[in-house]
Amino acid sequence: MSARLAPVALVTALLVATSAAFVVTEKLKLTRNPIVGPTVDKTFSPVCDCETASAAIRFRLRNADRVSVEIVDGSGDVVRELARNRPQGRTFVSYVWDGRDGEGRVADEGTYRPRIHLDQERRTIVMPNRIRVDTTPPRVESFTARPLVISPDGDGRFDRAKLRYRVSERASVELFVGGTRALRRLGTRTTGTMDWFGVAGGERLPEGPHELRLVARDLAGNLGPRSGSRTVRIAFLALGRDRVVTRPGGRFAILAISQARTLRWALGGRSGAARPGTLRLRAPDEPGRYTLEVEANGHVERAAVVVREAPS
């Protein structure tokens, strides 16, 4: 008889155990989470020496308790203990992880989670909020600038250089001109463009060549190395020579290089307009020393024009 009752007893025990587990599970579902309003920094770099060099774990409790806070890796192993049996009330409290383990070594790159133990509740909760440790700086993989000569005078012609770039990971990108920050690209896409209008440090730069470099900072705060340089020249107007010798009323030519649509010139009481390139002008009728003025969108260059009688 006892042999026949053994299977029945086993089935009954299994049913009781299953029912008990179900009751416990349903009770846990109905129990409110003792941790309220958690916010956790998602990504940081413990080696960046910046504002994101640590991760903050912030929450409050429904009821006052003694709290232990640990950082665990993907396997559940404790990497760092941030607090042990610390009294905490119902106000928001922050616990900060500097990205190092218990022996002061920088944690490996990867994903971690906070684990909270409540002494009076006798509960341990692994928070779903992931914290990513990232110590690898981003790199500018490509960088171009076109055109290589600009004239930012507001006429809509060659006012800007368009920069195109690609970085190794999501990052904000900044432009430096001769060591001075000129632009910062909003957003963190891995590819993007910038328009440079010849300004750095809030000031317009003079004519001449300027060295442009890009720097990227990733979401964790790691600052990458400066990129290779690209040289863009600012040029408004240039004359091919600064002195012309000719005879009275003689014809002469002078090169005027500009990206403006039209140039204005004045010489010996006469003036006119011409396209950039070779200007073909007539010298004054009287011998003497004159000044040729050529203007392009407010930028003026001058050349001396010496008018001499032909030797007899």
Side-chain angles (χ1 to χ4, degrees), residues 175-199:
L175 168 66
F176 285 80
V177 180
T180 301
R181 191 171 78 170
L183 289 172
R184 182 181 182 186
R185 182 71 167 85
L186 298 178
T188 57
R189 296 177 59 182
T190 56
T191 59
T193 62
M194 290 181 178
D195 291 332
W196 182 59
F197 289 86
V199 176

Side-chain angles (χ1 to χ4, degrees), residues 209-229:
H210 297 278
E211 186 179 78
L212 280 60
R213 295 178 184 269
L214 297 182
V215 176
R217 187 184 291 274
D218 64 19
L219 299 178
N222 297 301
L223 184 65
R226 293 194 176 187
S227 70
S229 66

